[in-house]
Amino acid sequence: MGSGISPLIFLLYSVLGLKCLLTTEGHQKNFEEFVPGMKHDGDWNNHLRLRPSDDGNSGNTLHDHSSLSHMDPELNVFFHHNDLKVGNKMPIYFPTKDPSATPHLLSRQESDVIPFSSSQLPYILELFSFPEGSKQAKAMKTTLEHCEFPPIKGETKFCATSLESMLDSVRQIFGLNSKVRVLTTNYLSDTISLLQNYTISEPPTEIFAKKIVACHTLPYPYAVFYCHGQVSDNKLYKVLLAGEDGGRVEAAAICHMDTSHWDPNHVSFHVLKTVPGASPVCHFFPTDNLVWILS
Ligand SMILES: *[C@@H]1O[C@H](CO)[C@@H](O)[C@H](O)[C@H]1NC(C)=O
C-alpha cells in the first residue's frame, strides 16, 4: 500500500466514528466481538428498508414497498432540487450516532480471511452463530445477493469489506494517480434528533465532480459498504442545516438530474410524488455513507 493511503484510511476511521479493529493478527479475534452492534433488531430492519441512492434502475432493490403506505420516518431524506434554498424548511431524518449500533469495521487482513459469498452462507452463519432462517441470516443473504448482482449498463458497482479494499477499488475506477476526495455528512452538534424540521442556513455549496462513487453500509455482522457510481447527470452539494432543537448538521446531498431510466416503483417517486424523468430526485446522505469524488 502506498504511503499516501494510510493517512486517508486513518482519517476515515475517525470520520466514520466506527470502532476499528486494527490488529495485525486480526483473524485471531473472536468473531463474537464483531457481532454485538448488529444484535439490535432495529438495525437489521432499518437498513433493509431504504438505500436512498441505490437507484431504482437496477432491478435488485432492497426497498420494502409494502411499508410505504404509512410513511416511514426514514423516508424523510428525499427532496426536490428546487427545495435547496436558504431559509427553506423541511423534515429530515438523520440516524443517531450510537457506537453500540455501528457494525465493526474490519481491517483488510481481518476481512480477507472471512468468506464473503452467497455460496458460503451456511459456513458464514455458523461462524457468526446466526441460525438459518433468522432475521439476521435473511439480511445477510440479501446483502450478499445485492453485492453479487451484476451492475447495470453505465453503472460501476462493488462491495467492500474494509476501507483499504474500498480505496483500492475507488482508485481503479478514478485512475491510480488521481486525487480522490471524500464527502460525508457531519454532525456539528453532540445530539441530533432522529427526525425534525431543519432550515437551510447558508447557500448550499455545489461540489463539482467529474466522477462520483457513493458508498452505503449494508446490514452485516461487520461493516460492508455497497459502492456504486454512475455516468448519469448528478449534482453534489454540501448543505448547512439548522435543526429546531438547535442541532446543526453539515449534510452531503446528491441530486440525480435524470431519472428517466429509473424503476417507476422507486421509493423516492412515492415520497416526492413524481414520476421517472419528470424532475430531479435529491437526497441527503446518512453519516455512515462515504461519497468519493474525482474533482
Ligand atoms: C415540521 O413543521 C411543520 C409545520 O411547519 C409541522 O406540521 C411538522 O409536524 C413538523 N415536522 C416535524 C418532524 O417536526
Side-chain angles (χ1 to χ4, degrees):
M1 182 186 298
S3 58
I5 295 180
S6 297
L8 186 52
I9 296 280
F10 277 103
L11 171 80
L12 288 173
Y13 275 115
S14 54
V15 162
L16 287 170
L18 293 178
K19 282 173 285 183
C20 65
L21 296 169
L22 271 181
T23 54
T24 42
E25 59 274 41
H27 54 282
Q28 306 287 354
K29 280 242 166 210
N30 184 343
F31 285 117
E32 282 170 13
E33 287 179 50
F34 302 146
V35 181
M38 295 307 273
K39 284 221 167 114
H40 296 263
D41 281 356
D43 288 334
W44 294 93
N45 291 330
N46 294 343
H47 281 86
L48 274 185
R49 199 163 293 148
L50 175 73
R51 297 287 96 201
S53 53
D54 172 21
D55 302 320
N57 46 3
S58 63
N60 60 330
T61 56
L62 290 172
H63 315 126
D64 174 6
H65 298 295
S66 60
S67 70
L68 268 178
S69 46
H70 49 98
M71 179 90 164
D72 186 315
E74 286 188 67
L75 294 178
N76 287 285
V77 288
F78 295 104
F79 60 95
H80 293 282
H81 192 225
N82 52 15
D83 288 339
L84 218 45
K85 290 187 197 111
V86 181
N88 216 0
K89 191 169 95 167
M90 57 179 127
I92 309 169
Y93 180 95
F94 284 111
T96 42
K97 221 176 181 176
D98 176 6
S100 73
T102 310
H104 286 287
L105 191 58
L106 302 193
S107 69
R108 195 206 297 265
Q109 292 108 307
E110 286 165 332
S111 73
D112 277 356
V113 295
I114 308 171
F116 189 76
S117 147
S118 296
S119 62
Q120 303 270 346
L121 187 60
Y123 170 76
I124 302 168
L125 289 176
E126 207 170 300
L127 205 58
F128 290 100
S129 312
F130 288 129
E132 268 182 55
S134 64
K135 189 185 297 173
Q136 289 86 348
K138 284 182 191 142
M140 289 163 72
K141 181 169 182 280
T142 309
T143 291
L144 289 168
E145 286 169 356
H146 202 61
C147 288
E148 288 161 4
F149 205 90
I152 53 147
K153 202 165 165 272
E155 187 198 45
T156 333
K157 66 158 273 201
F158 62 90
C159 283
T161 53
S162 69
L163 285 179
E164 294 93 328
S165 68
M166 191 192 319
L167 199 49
D168 277 357
S169 300
V170 168
R171 281 178 186 250
Q172 262 170 32
I173 295 168
F174 286 178
L176 285 181
N177 295 316
S178 56
K179 277 220 154 59
V180 296
R181 287 167 60 204
V182 70
L183 187 67
T184 54
T185 288
N186 306 304
Y187 295 159
L188 305 178
S189 310
D190 291 338
T191 54
I192 295 290
S193 308
L194 281 180
L195 175 66
Q196 65 172 323
N197 280 315
Y198 287 89
T199 306
I200 298 177
S201 54
E202 281 180 30
T205 315
E206 184 172 353
I207 314 273
F208 295 96
K210 278 195 224 122
K211 286 185 186 169
I212 300 168
V213 171
C215 297
H216 319 276
T217 50
L218 290 180
Y220 213 68
Y222 53 90
V224 170
F225 291 90
Y226 169 78
C227 303
H228 66 144
Q230 286 133 336
V231 286
S232 57
D233 191 11
N234 296 307
K235 285 180 190 286
L236 266 184
Y237 294 96
K238 198 109 220 197
V239 189
L240 273 174
L241 301 166
E244 277 179 335
D245 70 349
R248 291 171 65 245
V249 178
E250 184 189 45
I254 192 164
C255 291
H256 302 284
M257 305 308 284
D258 179 9
T259 60
S260 54
H261 301 295
W262 289 22
D263 177 352
N265 290 319
H266 191 260
V267 65
S268 64
F269 297 131
H270 295 260
V271 176
L272 297 177
K273 299 186 174 64
T274 182
V275 292
S279 59
V281 165
C282 306
H283 66 83
F284 292 106
F285 287 98
T287 40
D288 62 358
N289 283 203
L290 295 169
V291 186
W292 297 94
I293 309 164
L294 177 66
S295 41

